[in-house]
Structure formats: structure tokens, C-alpha cells
Amino acid sequence: MSEQIDEGLRRELQRQGVWVTSMQELYNWGRKNSIWPLQFGLACCAIEMIATAASRYDIARFGGEVFRPSPRQADLMIVAGTVTKKMAPQIVRLYNQMPDPKYVISMGACAISGGPFKEGYNVLKGIDRYIPVDVYIPGCPPRPEALLHAFMELQRKIDDQKLTGANKADHLTAAQPSEFPVPSFGKHDLEPPANPDVFHPPKIERA
Amino acid sequence: MIPDPYLFIVIFIGVALVFPLIPLALAWAWRRFFQPPKPGVEKNAIYECGVESIGEAQIQFRSQYYLYAIIFLIFDVEAIFLVPFAVAFTGLPVGAFIAILVFLFLLIEGLVWAWGKGCLQWER
């Protein structure tokens, strides 16, 4: 499983009509082509997400059309829109209730950083403060093509995940957490304002 | 030799059992040997809409709605009688007009009685 078959040999075999694969490739191929997103939208990005799911852009071509209304059946959480501080605990709780393996797409400027409402008092400055995000899509809102691109990036990421070895996927590692602490409503802000285990903002060097 | 006609049903039951059991067994083996289970308080919570559940699920509803439903039903039936009366109004004799007035009077009297009894008062 861990050692890959030689690409040249595989191509030679394919020319003869013999298809060689490994457990890892088969497993990841099945997973990446049946990603079921969680059905919830927060703001205007959700309209673009709906457009992506509808016939013109048709996310079904990528195996992601089965929007599940229950987190128990979902693989992917598309955080589509402005995350208010009132909504953030619910989103973290929904993420916690999703079974492993689970992925998060942070869609739009608001879900990434708070976007145009970053200076406001009631908008969370990025959902990556509480849950690990796999793919970020910039845009306000991002077009459906951008969401499809993010979806393909996620498929690429799933395809590269290892089943064995030291750097195997998180959901196969017993030590990696599957749930993250839900923030509570504090006096002025959510408490804690960010989960330090998850949130690693880039350090800005000022001259 | 003619096979037993019920043999097909036996084969059918066998296939119907094995066909779903194979994926279930594969899923079990996958969970057992590869994917470590990670249960948790949030994940095992019964309510799955992101909101914490408050209080007990087994609460009692008041029977107050029952009286409203009964009174509504009476006046609902009244409409069924009044519509054909209104449609045929011009061709009806005086006796029919008096009869429907009596009918209306009885219902209105019932409403006044229910009102007087305090049935329309919503009590918490």
C-alpha cells in the first residue's frame, strides 16, 4: 500500500488492458467522487452554492450533489457566508457531529476573515478560528466556478491522503481529535476568541 | 429431474442475505482495522441541528385547543348549510327564511353561552 507501483510499468500494463491499483488509490477514488456536503447556507454565498448545485453548474458532475440535511451523513461542510458570533457555536457543534473523515470549505471573504464586516462587533473573523479548514475560496461572493475549483482542490487533497505510514490521514490517526471545543457567549466576545490548537494566523513582520 | 419449485426462493433468500451483508462486513472490517473510532459528547448527542437541546422531550400539551376546535367545527358546519341557502335565496319561500334564521339564532345562542362560560378565554 505504502510503496507505489512504478508509473512506467503501470502505463505499460494499461496498454495491454491490465489495470493495476492499490487499496489506497481505490479507497481515495471512491471517497473523492462521493463527497456529500452538509446542507446549510449562511448568507449570500449560499445563493452561489445553490447555483453550483443546480443544473447550470451542476456539482453532481463531481459527485457532490447529495446535500445532506443531517451532519451524521455529511462529509463536507461548506461554510457559505457570514458567520456571526451568534451562529459560530452552532457551526462548531455541527462540525463536531459530522463523522470522520470530514472536510471544510471556507467559502467567501466572510467565512475566511469576516470580510467586509471584519471591523464589526458581531461577526466572527474567520471560521478557521474554531475548526480546521481545508480549502479557502476568496470572493464576495465567489462565483460557482470558484466553488467547483475548490471542490476539485479538495478532491485532489483527498486523493493525496495516505492510509498508512507516519503522515497518514487525520481520521485514521487515533491521536488526532475529531471534535473541537464549542465557544460560549462571553460578555463581549466569544470565549475563547480562537482555538489556539486550530488557529495559526500568519505572522506579519512589520519593518 | 425437476427441481423443487421452492428452490428458487431459497436461492433468492440466500442472495438477498449475502448481498447486503458483504458491504456491512467490509465496513465493519474497515472500522476495526483501519479507522479508529472517535466518539464524543457532541458527536453522540441525540439532537443534530447544532443547537443544544433544553429540557425533557416528554412534555404535556394543554387540552385548551379542544374547546376551540369544537366551537370552530360548529361554525364550519354552519357555512356548509348557509352557502346553498344563499345560492337559492331568491327562489325560497318565507318559511325557509325563518327556518334558517332559527338555525342561525341557535348557533349564535350557543356562541354566547360558550362566551359566557369563558371558553373563549385563553388560560395559561
Side-chain angles (χ1 to χ4, degrees), chain A:
Chain A
M1 236 181 279
S2 53
E3 59 216 76
Q4 292 295 314
I5 186 170
D6 179 48
E7 267 306 311
L9 177 61
R10 196 224 291 260
R11 230 170 286 130
E12 189 64 36
L13 281 168
Q14 263 179 30
R15 210 168 294 141
Q16 302 300 322
V18 181
W19 202 277
V20 182
T21 185
S22 63
M23 272 294 279
Q24 178 176 303
E25 280 178 9
L26 200 65
Y27 174 67
N28 284 341
W29 172 80
R31 278 190 325 134
K32 78 172 187 184
N33 287 307
S34 67
I35 302 173
W36 290 9
L38 183 60
Q39 185 180 31
F40 83 105
L42 297 172
C44 27
C45 286
I47 307 298
E48 301 295 311
M49 183 176 75
I50 294 162
T52 317
S55 54
R56 181 179 283 262
Y57 297 99
D58 199 11
I59 207 169
R61 294 177 292 156
F62 302 90
E65 79 278 19
V66 195
F67 278 81
R68 303 311 295 181
S70 163
R72 317 271 194 217
Q73 303 163 355
D75 306 308
L76 166 66
M77 176 182 246
I78 302 175
V79 184
T82 315
V83 185
T84 56
K85 284 175 183 169
K86 190 82 174 171
M87 192 67 194
Q90 276 73 258
I91 291 181
V92 178
R93 211 173 277 124
L94 282 176
Y95 178 79
N96 286 346
Q97 288 180 344
M98 282 163 64
D100 278 312
K102 50 188 171 185
Y103 304 93
V104 177
I105 290 179
S106 180
M107 181 179 182
C110 293
I112 293 174
S113 66
F117 314 110
K118 188 177 172 67
E119 303 296 325
Y121 63 95
N122 65 339
V123 171
L124 186 72
K125 294 164 184 64
I127 193 61
D128 55 356
R129 283 167 181 254
Y130 295 116
I131 55 177
V133 175
D134 294 283
V135 185
Y136 296 87
I137 327 171
C140 187
R143 285 194 51 85
E145 291 94 332
L147 182 57
L148 288 178
H149 182 219
F151 207 81
M152 288 159 74
E153 285 295 325
L154 183 68
Q155 287 185 327
R156 237 164 262 148
K157 178 170 183 168
I158 292 172
D159 210 19
D160 286 342
Q161 285 192 320
K162 301 272 183 291
L163 285 191
T164 51
N167 51 355
K168 61 182 171 184
D170 279 357
H171 67 278
L172 302 174
T173 315
Q176 289 287 345
S178 172
E179 290 187 41
F180 293 93
V182 179
S184 59
F185 300 120
K187 198 178 176 192
H188 299 296
D189 199 357
L190 289 171
E191 285 179 5
N195 183 0
D197 298 335
V198 177
F199 187 47
H200 307 293
K203 291 237 165 44
I204 300 170
E205 297 288 336
R206 287 206 168 84

Side-chain angles (χ1 to χ4, degrees), chain B residues 36-77:
Chain B
K38 294 176 185 176
V41 181
E42 298 279 336
K43 205 183 248 184
N44 292 348
I46 295 165
Y47 196 57
E48 52 185 38
C49 289
V51 184
E52 271 180 313
S53 52
I54 300 165
E56 292 290 314
Q58 295 175 342
I59 57 168
Q60 290 180 331
F61 289 95
R62 295 180 64 84
S63 61
Q64 199 87 29
Y65 292 104
Y66 176 72
L67 286 170
Y68 278 94
I70 288 286
I71 294 168
F72 167 75
L73 203 66
I74 291 169
F75 287 93
D76 203 34
V77 173

